[in-house]
Amino acid sequence: MMLVKELMSSTIITVSPEATVGEAERLMSVNSIGKIVVEEDKKVLGIVTDGDLVNQHNLNIRIKEVMEAEVITINENKSIQEAAQLLSDNQISGVPVLNDEGELVGIITSSDIVSGYVKEERTAKLSPESSAIYLSMTRSREYENYWLDKIKGYGYRVAITQTGANAENLPIKLRESTTVAAIARGVIKENLREKMAVSNAVKDAYTQLNLVNPGLGGGFKVAIVRGEGRLAVAVFGKFGHALVDGPEQLSVGMSVI
């Protein structure tokens, strides 16, 4: 099981609580980031987003006056599964990482976690999460069959489906099509508990997608893999107003089953 400290970025853009709004805005702009950690003596004091600053007309106001002091963090020795659940539960894209002394040592994002699931195959057996990622990203029938056979070889149950919808209907369509495919392929039984497990995993994945491209519909390939007491859903495809020509996105949701 991979740990947060193995995937986190140790290069952290931070700002002092005594810095001004103008200084924080310039730092965000130069580094193309939408949020910044407020830190002093390796301790996290708060967090500031571009949304917090957009209505601040006085650029000389100190960051400590506008920052959000309640910050969600994670210990460096937690698993990437725990980190993924934390991001999903709180609908955030990344969190500061602390060591056992409470000092800031890094930051981990949803992109880091997805990369970690894929890397797991190189050091350990294929996990349900990395299995779902590989399968959702297949682009040919031959490659799809290759991964289906490989995943089933681990004793996992697996299903794939495709769906697309506008922004309003996308979360419902994702949940419905994934549940139907999971039942049809024997990944889950047709009872409320197991259908809720699929629904929760899809919700996790959709939350990550919506954070990146809020208010857009899209077309996606979905892979559902069940094994090791959990169910993983990977969603891969494109966002766009016309369901085409948007950026490709990948997200993973997980539920205990």
Side-chain angles (χ1 to χ4, degrees):
M1 180 180 294
M2 297 191 75
L3 302 179
V4 167
K5 63 185 176 184
E6 299 176 60
L7 295 177
M8 70 181 189
S9 172
S10 298
T11 303
I12 321 158
I13 307 299
T14 64
V15 68
S16 162
E18 298 300 326
T20 66
V21 165
E23 290 170 332
E25 284 186 342
R26 286 192 292 275
L27 201 54
M28 288 187 193
S29 176
V30 168
N31 292 280
S32 300
I33 53 177
K35 65 177 64 175
I36 192 167
V37 177
V38 183
E39 177 250 359
E40 189 173 53
D41 297 328
K42 295 186 178 181
K43 299 293 184 182
V44 176
L45 302 182
I47 197 161
V48 175
T49 69
D50 48 9
D52 296 325
L53 304 183
V54 69
N55 294 320
Q56 293 295 329
H57 301 297
N58 184 352
L59 299 183
N60 293 316
I61 292 178
R62 302 296 175 185
I63 284 298
K64 63 183 179 182
E65 298 179 45
V66 299
M67 71 181 187
E68 173 57 57
E70 294 184 11
V71 185
I72 297 167
T73 62
I74 192 167
N75 184 274
E76 63 180 348
N77 294 309
K78 294 293 186 179
S79 70
I80 58 171
Q81 285 83 7
E82 290 173 296
Q85 195 67 55
L86 183 67
L87 298 188
S88 177
D89 288 346
N90 293 280
Q91 299 188 21
I92 51 179
S93 58
V95 290
V97 180
L98 309 181
N99 62 18
D100 291 337
E101 286 70 48
E103 297 173 332
L104 179 65
V105 293
I107 191 164
I108 189 164
T109 68
S110 54
S111 296
D112 297 327
I113 292 168
V114 169
S115 298
Y117 284 138
V118 173
K119 290 176 183 176
E120 271 191 328
E121 189 197 10
R122 300 172 188 170
T123 57
K125 78 171 189 176
L126 206 61
S127 69
E129 292 84 1
S130 54
S131 298
I133 290 171
Y134 280 115
L135 186 56
S136 70
M137 296 180 73
T138 55
R139 299 180 184 274
S140 69
R141 180 59 60 86
E142 292 77 16
Y143 203 41
E144 183 179 284
N145 288 335
Y146 165 81
W147 279 110
L148 281 170
D149 290 341
K150 186 167 185 174
I151 293 165
K152 290 175 181 177
Y154 283 93
Y156 299 158
R157 303 182 204 172
V158 59
I160 51 177
T161 186
Q162 297 189 48
T163 189
N166 58 27
E168 182 180 357
N169 295 323
L170 184 57
I172 297 173
K173 288 290 187 181
L174 280 172
R175 185 176 67 248
E176 288 179 346
S177 62
T178 305
T179 302
V180 169
I183 293 172
R185 295 296 180 182
V187 176
I188 64 168
K189 297 177 182 177
E190 195 169 358
N191 61 51
L192 181 59
R193 185 183 70 84
E194 298 204 351
K195 287 194 287 187
M196 282 300 298
V198 173
S199 180
N200 290 336
V202 172
K203 181 182 177 182
D204 282 356
Y206 174 75
T207 297
Q208 297 165 37
L209 292 173
N210 194 49
L211 282 170
V212 178
N213 288 284
L216 290 180
F220 299 94
K221 184 172 185 177
V222 185
I224 315 103
V225 180
R226 178 177 182 172
E228 300 178 345
R230 62 187 188 270
L231 187 145
V233 170
V235 181
F236 178 71
K238 288 187 175 183
F239 270 101
H241 291 287
L243 310 187
V244 293
D245 298 329
E248 287 190 324
Q249 300 291 340
L250 171 67
S251 67
V252 183
M254 188 270 289
S255 180
V256 175
I257 191 168

